Amino acid sequence: MLKLKIVSPEKIEFAGEVESVKVPGVQGNFEILTGHAPIISTLGKGVVEYDGCQLPVSGGFVEVQKNVVSLCVEKAE
């Protein structure tokens, strides 16, 4: 399991455990699973998907560190 925290300027959008997270990287979408290598990446416009939920974003950052995924996003209008 991954610990996921999604923060926008307005509020904490989600905090909890998930199986996987799909994010819109600036060079293409990618999926984060348990055991993913540490990474920091910029997000582009697209949809963050986790456990059946979708969150449209216009950009942001993702950090993965020891099965903890932190997203700082700007929600799309």
Side-chain angles (χ1 to χ4, degrees), residues 21-75:
V21 184
K22 292 181 183 175
V23 295
V26 291
Q27 297 196 2
N29 294 344
F30 63 95
E31 185 171 18
I32 300 161
L33 300 169
T34 302
H36 196 286
I39 186 174
I40 296 175
S41 181
T42 307
L43 301 178
K45 186 173 182 175
V47 177
V48 173
E49 297 181 44
Y50 56 96
D51 284 0
C53 298
Q54 295 186 336
L55 177 67
V57 299
S58 58
F61 296 91
V62 60
E63 178 184 18
V64 180
Q65 195 71 244
K66 297 182 181 175
N67 293 323
V68 176
V69 181
S70 301
L71 290 163
C72 180
V73 300
E74 185 69 38
K75 287 175 48 178

